[in-house]
Amino acid sequence: MAGPTLLPGRVTWSLSRDAGSPPLAGQHESAIAASTGAVLYGNGAIGAARARPWRRTSVQAQTSAGAAEPSLGSRTPGRVTALQITTVGRSWAEGRGLTGPKALPLRRLRVRQSTLDGTAARRLRLDRRSMMTVFDVTDLSALEILDSRGRPTLAVTVRLGDGSTATARVPSGASTGSREAVERRDGDPARYEGKGVLGAAEAVNTEIAGLLHARSWASLAEADQAIIELDGTANKSRLGANATVGVSMALARALADSAGLPLWRWLAPDGVTPSLPVPHFNVLNGGVHAPNSLDFQEFMIAPVGAPSMAEAVRAGAEIYAALRRELTSRKLSTGLGDEGGFAPEITQPEQVLGLLVQAISDAGYKTGTDGVSIALDPAASEFRQPDGRYKVASELLSSAEMTDRYAAITGQFPVHLIEDGLGEDDDDGWIALTARLGGATELVGDDIFCTNPAIISQAIARGIGNSSLIKLNQIGTVTETLQAMAVCRQAGYRQFVSHRSGETEDTFIADLATGTGCGHLKSGAPARGERVAKYNRLLEIAAAQPDLVYGMP
Ligand code: 2PG
Ligand code: MG
């Protein structure tokens, strides 16, 4: 890469030592490297720069003269014991006192953090999320890999100007909404039955890479917007939503790394408290995810009342094992569907619900929202007939009869959530369903909302549902996904972060659900590597951050 582009800035700094010496303070002209966000110091012990004239930033630091830290420079011996940062605008940087111009990568702050007290460190982490506002992309490439169904998908790797590197792997759905952003597939019957993604990989390697290399970027949102404009279609069908979401996820990860933050914290929107989501384990599969004759697609168990993430995961796995025993004792198949749930030959949803209640109590757990509750994703668009009726176990039901069925189900079983209870085109049915059951039951729109902020806004105005499923590849960028979640939050709608039926070992959604504090995540059964990768990531986050609260909002 050529030398860094320098933007003018002014460093304002003040520094106190605790040995009675007067505080040092000053201001000096400085510069910030557009490529890395690093400050170029002329002099000064510690400071911050504004990247553009209208942004004000100041840093105050205190050092302890007792413990020498040579890196602070001869004028300021001591160890930094507190650091306060005030940022107006979104660009700031901090570095060590050095003589002569020298670029200091922001990631150096990671080293410094150990020397800060708790409050200062927390404050620093918060501010660092927004500080890496100017970045360059030096490398971008995509590779055709396999997903959990043995179909091709993309792995996208990005490298930023400061060396931060990240890879994202792209999920793929089977029961897709008609208004989802479009996956680009090659259509060449000679390769992977037409499902190859070499064209999408090429779009990343050429057009998108060319765009991102051409200039510096102020934020992920800016880069995502430019990619959307480069695509030029309403549904990302030209470049492919698999290409755009892979790039966007990889960029988010690299930017988090660059800021020295875990992804979940970097993703946390302003004003939102991150929390650990209740895992919704899909333990019994039907619909287009399994070869059995069960019309409802997903039966999930949710340890809503668990005291911690570790106990929730344990409950999920123990109930899954108990369910396997129940099925075996009834001579039902324990073969698995696409999301790792069992796929026995059962046709009536109520019979499955009875089995789940049995398995929950066999495993020693209480049913209900103070113990282990049940969630359904019938994915009703898939069994809605051309005449508008719903075919459940060979019986044809009107939209109103379907709603009656759900009312009976929620009356009889501990079901707290129904996703896609009705079809994506059945707006009137959804409005009636929401009016009838929405007070007590979470009614999640998946196919009907497609993680699309505009569609969700319209649906909210019409009283459709009270929650949205959130799938990154359904809309095609991280920025739009976060916008969809913001639209929901502002309207009091819940957000339910989700995997796809075709998955990889990528764990982005675990961080997304945690950072946005949305309260729940579905990632399939507590079995199969691509499903448990997300739950294992949640366990790691919980262990590393014991103060994160677990549970539904
Ligand atoms: C759903 C999803 C994930 P798919 O319907 O909610 O479970 O399935 O990825 O096939 O759309
Ligand atoms: Mg769904």
Side-chain angles (χ1 to χ4, degrees), residues 175 297-298 377 379 419-420 446-447 469 471 522:
S175 64
Q297 181 178 282
E298 298 169 30
D377 179 6
E419 174 190 331
D420 278 2
D446 174 9
D447 289 358
L469 204 71
K471 293 163 164 171
K522 67 169 187 173

Side-chain angles (χ1 to χ4, degrees), residues 16-23 65:
S16 329
R17 289 177 288 175
D18 59 4
S21 341

Side-chain angles (χ1 to χ4, degrees), residues 263-269 272-275 277 510-518:
L263 180 60
W264 61 268
R265 200 185 278 283
W266 189 85
L267 287 169
V272 165
T273 307
S275 65
D511 286 74
L512 178 66
T514 303
T516 55
C518 71

Side-chain angles (χ1 to χ4, degrees), residues 271-310:
V272 165
T273 307
S275 65
L276 293 164
V278 173
H280 281 50
F281 300 103
N282 180 8
V283 293
L284 206 135
N285 296 182
V288 299
H289 293 168
N292 57 8
S293 323
L294 181 63
D295 297 302
F296 281 22
Q297 181 178 282
E298 298 169 30
F299 293 79
M300 294 169 266
I301 49 167
V304 180
S308 66
M309 180 55 67

Side-chain angles (χ1 to χ4, degrees), residues 228-251:
I228 292 166
E229 285 165 19
L230 176 70
D231 171 75
T233 68
N235 56 9
K236 305 187 177 68
S237 54
R238 196 181 73 76
L239 296 170
N242 41 353
T244 62
V245 83
V247 172
S248 187
M249 289 163 67
L251 275 176

Side-chain angles (χ1 to χ4, degrees), residues 196 325 449 463-464 485 541:
R325 282 193 296 276
F449 291 169
I464 292 177
M485 297 183 86
I541 295 172

